[in-house]
Amino acid sequence: MSENTRKMTGARAIIECLYEENVEVIFGYPGGVLLHIYDEIYKSDLKHILVRHEQAAAHAAEGYARATGKVGVCLATSGPGATNLVTGIANAYMDSIPMVALTGQVPRSMIGNDAFQEANITGITMPITKHNYLVQDAKDLPRIIKEAFHIASTGRPGPVLIDLPKDITTEEIEFSYPDEVDLKGYKPTYKGNLQQVKRAASAIEKAHQPLIYAGGGILGSNASEELLQFAEHIQTPVTTTLTGIGGFPTQHPLYVGMPGMHGTKYANYAIQECDLLIAVGARFDDRVTGKLASFAPNAKILHIDIDPAEISKNITVDIPIVGDAKNILASLYKYVKPVEKENRKEWLDRIEGWKKSYPLHYVGEQDGLKPQYIIEQIYEACKDAIIVTEVGQHQMWAAQYYKFSQPRSFITSGGLGTMGYGYPASIGAKVGKPDRVVFNIAGDGSFQMNSQEIATAVQNDIPVIVAIMNNGYLGMVRQWQELFFEKRYSHTCIRDSVDFVKLAEAYGAVGIRVEKTSEVKPALEKAMNSGKPVIIDFVVECEENVSPMVPAGAPINEILDLERKE
Amino acid sequence: MRHTLAVLVENKFGVLSRVAGLFARRGYNIDSLAVGVTEDPNISRMTLVVRGDDHVVEQVGKQLNKLIDVIRVTDLGADESVERELALIKVKSDKDTRAEIIQIVDIFRARIIDVASKSIIIEVTGDEEKIAAIEKLLKPFGIKELVRTGRIALTRGSKSS
């Protein structure tokens, strides 16, 4: 405990705690039970971004967390405010993103009475938070907030919710912020067990065709530097999952792209042919593994993860190492002898052969604007942008065609697959990294799920560029209907539902429509030079498919080519 | 395969619901659950009987350990632990059957804790088989109500779980 204690209200104490945690911004929306907290925000110099829907506050906090590596903070009122956060919290939970969600609650005496705007948000969010709290005594505020930030940001990160009854915010307490947390049931393992590290080292030295399969854990533990050094040290190719993209430089010769359903053929072939799969901070998600029984059939599985429950959850692991990826990659580097390029030649040549034979490709732009081309052009226009996406076809094209050279540059909803995630997340990312160019690559379906946030961007002067791949369809579902339901496009056509240029202008943002290939570059330049929130409506070919594709439940080397032929 | 798990938890608001919610969410089955405070009033002990193969039970243990309020999870092997359950059984009885019921109670080292003109309440402690056996023998007299605590268990010897 620090020596100085000061008397203050609970509301003031919450602000003091946020200062103690070096919070620089919160994303929120006020309401009845938050009046005292908002009054303290008014009096403080804490930055607050007012969103237009609480769901956006949660996504923005997450986008901020992913871009900066810090804990994102969102704030919503009781009842509907709190329940509107749920999707964002679930999204952060699935992708292990550190977040603290603060919710207002009715006064303690009214809890359980079905009071106005009461919802049992701790009960509702129990399965989608790493932990949550209902504050029952104002004196507990400093301890609980300290614990919440600690839990959110350590071990396998995740969201923590704190529910704040209104009368807690008016009660006076002696404020002092604890220096340490004491949680008997929470002691994450960081350092890998030495025996296991040695076993892993020996397996790596024996392997002839090893492959590193790296996930979001690389970014969570800030281990991209260690991953790069280790991969080069043992001359081993690297595939990164959707959430791991950016954790390894895309243009590195050892990089084989993303694995799984819409991964590169060469990543999937490498998985199926490797004799040692080194999984780091990845969780063998079904979109990666396809049919589990035929996943990596020739490989021993080495799994490095900070969460012991991930070990052998989906696939039996031969050598588990529980701990922090950064730490363990560094110690493996020490224990594994370096491999010369010549000694890995046969394996690397095979991979190179696959890369040459089966590159990502699409058929040119004869008959319309190609979304893949647009993404390549976004890369040409800005090579170190933060790319945020919504969910669907455009998300896969962004993952396939933008090239990343640094971590925390690709922000996407992986596990939960939340449409409407991208725009608020890109606002959060831009707030956290104002000097980077931030693109939200969107679909016309996803963007309409949170397009009200144009108002947030305009009001707070957050110049995110939205690039809508407007094909008039809920494209990914349409693709499945085309392939597996004989083109019965049930409720996936949303053509002409809105004029996005006028929508942008109605909010005071810049709207640009692009219909021809020749207009792409000038539009991107105009957007980047505007310094304003921009919505670019790219009217793209409407039935373009994401290719390649492994049908759900099939082995990942049974891959369909879906590019449109002339 | 049934496993008995000893779960030490923080004695806090909502912890039972966290544990129960985890089982529901991940699709694990609980055969029985007993909860009570330990020698330390800040810590409660849950004894869970879980059905599943070793892989499932290992996952149950790991997922439980992820809950912040869970301090320790131990899988109590049947050989290394003692297990007990307590049941209260209300049996129909009158002057014709009372003597016979008392005889069964004696054989099982159970106790009679309430006697009324038309019924008796019996308290019996033991492992599941023993309780099942006495239940079977009492059934013909007419069991009006039965309540069991669920299994509780401790490891043998000085080792703690």
Side-chain angles (χ1 to χ4, degrees):
Chain A
M1 290 273 172
S2 54
E3 311 260 313
N4 300 334
T5 64
R6 287 169 290 156
K7 244 189 155 60
M8 61 180 74
T9 62
R12 181 68 215 165
I14 291 163
I15 306 298
E16 290 296 326
C17 293
L18 297 179
Y19 281 137
E20 292 281 351
E21 292 297 332
N22 299 314
V23 172
E24 54 177 15
V25 61
I26 55 182
F27 301 89
Y29 203 100
V33 298
L34 294 183
L35 279 162
H36 293 92
I37 296 178
Y38 268 88
D39 194 45
E40 290 298 338
I41 291 174
Y42 185 85
K43 292 185 232 164
S44 77
D45 54 7
L46 193 63
K47 188 168 174 185
H48 176 275
I49 303 286
L50 175 67
V51 293
R52 291 298 181 276
H53 186 298
E54 289 90 350
Q55 185 188 343
H59 291 326
E62 209 204 277
Y64 170 87
R66 292 206 204 212
T68 61
K70 297 180 199 158
V71 178
V73 181
C74 58
L75 172 62
T77 194
S78 63
T83 56
N84 277 345
L85 292 180
V86 167
T87 302
I89 294 171
N91 197 83
Y93 185 69
M94 286 289 266
D95 287 349
S96 308
I97 305 302
M99 179 161 109
V100 169
L102 303 167
T103 51
Q105 183 54 280
V106 300
R108 280 169 293 181
S109 58
M110 291 167 83
I111 291 177
N113 290 353
D114 303 319
F116 176 65
Q117 291 193 329
E118 179 185 358
N120 173 11
I121 196 64
T122 46
I124 290 169
T125 59
M126 214 169 260
I128 52 164
T129 48
K130 193 168 166 187
H131 194 54
N132 64 21
Y133 296 89
L134 169 61
V135 181
Q136 283 163 313
D137 187 334
K139 287 199 297 292
D140 293 337
L141 275 170
R143 173 185 61 80
I144 286 175
I145 294 175
K146 176 92 187 170
E147 286 178 5
F149 276 84
H150 176 73
I151 291 168
S153 59
T154 55
R156 178 178 181 170
V160 179
L161 180 136
I162 308 175
D163 202 18
L164 303 158
K166 184 176 188 179
D167 54 330
I168 293 274
T169 64
T170 53
E171 207 170 284
E172 286 242 314
I173 63 165
E174 293 283 344
F175 180 82
S176 81
Y177 204 63
D179 298 324
E180 282 173 3
V181 294
D182 176 27
L183 293 161
K184 280 199 269 306
Y186 181 68
K187 305 261 190 286
T189 309
Y190 282 87
K191 228 174 144 245
N193 176 294
L194 188 60
Q195 284 311 107
Q196 290 300 94
V197 170
K198 286 182 176 165
R199 267 184 72 199
S202 123
I204 292 167
E205 282 174 2
K206 281 188 201 123
H208 299 289
Q209 307 193 145
L211 176 72
I212 297 172
Y213 149 55
I218 293 295
L219 302 161
S221 87
N222 294 314
S224 21
E225 195 56 38
E226 286 74 9
L227 175 63
L228 177 62
Q229 281 169 5
F230 182 63
E232 287 177 345
H233 184 67
I234 60 168
Q235 284 298 311
T236 294
V238 177
T239 174
T240 56
T241 68
L242 184 67
T243 50
I245 287 177
F248 193 82
T250 313
Q251 285 172 297
H252 194 285
L254 287 171
Y255 188 60
V256 295
M258 179 172 77
M261 183 173 279
H262 293 298
T264 60
K265 285 191 181 178
Y266 37 96
N268 287 341
Y269 291 154
I271 288 174
Q272 296 306 77
E273 296 290 314
C274 71
D275 62 358
L276 176 70
L277 188 68
I278 306 170
V280 195
R283 60 184 176 84
F284 299 89
D285 176 78
D286 55 88
R287 284 295 187 266
V288 166
T289 61
K291 188 179 175 189
L292 261 180
S294 30
F295 180 74
N298 309 316
K300 268 198 160 176
I301 311 282
L302 160 59
H303 192 183
I304 300 166
D305 207 287
I306 197 152
D307 180 0
E310 285 303 334
I311 307 292
S312 296
K313 186 183 77 178
N314 291 342
I315 199 160
T316 308
V317 171
D318 299 295
I319 309 170
I321 312 180
V322 173
D324 179 42
K326 190 181 182 78
N327 223 307
I328 291 166
L329 288 172
S331 57
L332 278 174
Y333 185 94
K334 270 195 295 186
Y335 284 100
V336 184
K337 286 199 248 359
V339 174
E340 294 303 320
K341 218 175 193 163
E342 304 82 76
N343 298 334
R344 195 69 94 208
K345 192 171 182 315
E346 203 179 319
W347 176 229
L348 294 179
D349 281 353
R350 276 186 81 191
I351 286 175
E352 209 47 46
W354 289 327
K355 277 189 186 176
K356 288 213 171 73
S357 312
Y358 313 108
L360 283 172
H361 63 118
Y362 60 95
V363 176
E365 63 259 25
Q366 293 92 328
D367 51 356
L369 194 48
K370 290 282 179 171
Q372 300 94 326
Y373 171 81
I374 296 165
I375 290 162
E376 288 174 338
Q377 288 308 307
I378 291 173
Y379 175 71
E380 292 304 326
C382 184
K383 293 198 163 63
D384 59 352
I386 293 179
I387 300 294
V388 186
T389 78
E390 308 279 351
V391 167
Q393 288 185 309
H394 65 274
Q395 177 189 31
M396 294 298 112
W397 287 317
Q400 291 174 335
Y401 288 93
Y402 194 87
K403 301 182 183 82
F404 295 90
S405 55
Q406 51 175 321
R408 302 197 175 280
S409 301
F410 185 60
I411 295 176
T412 196
S413 167
L416 198 65
T418 309
M419 292 173 69
Y421 168 82
Y423 193 39
S426 64
I427 288 173
K430 183 72 182 172
V431 168
K433 291 282 177 190
D435 299 333
R436 304 269 304 268
V437 174
V438 177
F439 274 93
N440 174 39
I441 294 178
D444 47 325
S446 284
F447 185 66
Q448 288 186 67
M449 281 208 185
N450 269 321
S451 59
Q452 79 285 345
E453 296 307 316
I454 305 173
T456 305
V458 171
Q459 188 189 12
N460 294 284
D461 196 15
I462 303 166
V464 167
I465 303 166
V466 182
I468 303 175
M469 307 292 129
N470 184 355
N471 55 13
Y473 280 111
L474 305 176
M476 189 60 97
V477 181
R478 186 210 55 75
Q479 175 169 338
W480 285 50
Q481 289 171 337
E482 177 189 331
L483 295 171
F484 310 120
F485 294 86
E486 295 163 329
K487 291 199 178 190
R488 289 189 299 277
Y489 291 165
S490 179
H491 296 272
T492 42
C493 183
I494 54 169
R495 200 168 301 150
D496 300 329
S497 45
V498 62
D499 181 330
F500 288 110
V501 173
K502 281 189 183 152
L503 182 72
E505 286 165 0
Y507 281 107
V510 177
I512 307 171
R513 178 162 299 113
V514 173
E515 285 165 311
K516 288 195 219 104
T517 304
S518 60
E519 297 166 355
V520 172
K521 262 188 208 172
L524 290 171
E525 270 164 33
K526 185 179 168 194
M528 287 172 60
N529 292 333
S530 76
K532 286 187 171 170
V534 180
I535 316 296
I536 315 178
D537 180 19
F538 289 104
V539 182
V540 297
E541 199 179 312
C542 55
E543 295 194 28
E544 183 70 11
N545 283 330
V546 177
S547 178
M549 178 180 186
V550 178
I556 57 169
N557 50 355
E558 291 180 11
I559 309 172
L560 309 176
D561 272 315
L562 300 172
E563 73 272 14
R564 302 240 169 244
K565 308 261 170 9
E566 295 313 307
Chain B
M1 209 10 216
R2 294 170 74 184
H3 291 249
T4 308
L5 300 181
V7 185
L8 291 180
V9 298
E10 300 269 5
N11 185 10
K12 277 184 187 162
F13 174 85
V15 63
L16 177 61
S17 128
R18 287 181 203 280
V19 170
L22 175 75
F23 277 77
R25 176 163 72 98
R26 300 248 175 212
Y28 307 137
N29 282 319
I30 306 179
D31 275 11
S32 96
L33 168 66
V35 196
V37 74
T38 62
E39 70 282 4
D40 177 346
N42 297 315
I43 294 175
S44 292
R45 185 182 174 102
M46 295 186 181
T47 310
L48 290 152
V49 180
V50 185
R51 204 187 287 266
D53 59 24
D54 288 353
H55 173 75
V56 168
V57 174
E58 191 185 323
Q59 265 296 315
V60 170
K62 285 169 164 178
Q63 294 294 346
L64 282 170
N65 261 317
K66 279 175 75 166
L67 297 176
I68 307 291
D69 287 340
V70 168
I71 299 163
R72 194 163 67 230
V73 182
T74 316
D75 189 351
L76 300 173
D79 300 338
E80 303 98 56
S81 60
V82 283
E83 301 177 343
R84 287 292 180 273
E85 205 173 328
L86 183 143
L88 300 179
I89 310 171
K90 189 185 285 178
V91 186
K92 278 188 200 161
S93 98
D94 52 32
K95 60 184 186 330
D96 299 333
T97 56
R98 195 167 292 139
E100 199 181 339
I101 291 172
I102 290 172
Q103 213 175 15
I104 293 169
V105 167
D106 284 343
I107 293 167
F108 279 86
R109 293 190 201 162
R111 297 202 306 158
I112 290 166
I113 54 173
D114 182 70
V115 183
S117 58
K118 287 180 182 161
S119 69
I120 282 179
I121 298 179
I122 296 158
E123 171 200 315
V124 57
T125 311
D127 58 21
E128 260 174 278
E129 288 79 50
K130 177 177 167 183
I131 290 170
I134 192 171
E135 187 188 339
K136 193 175 164 197
L137 288 176
L138 292 172
K139 210 164 194 173
F141 300 99
I143 293 177
K144 290 167 73 74
E145 275 185 294
L146 185 150
V147 57
R148 5 188 359 162
T149 56
R151 190 189 294 178
I152 55 171
L154 282 181
T155 45
R156 292 181 188 276
S158 59
K159 210 172 110 223
S160 304
S161 43

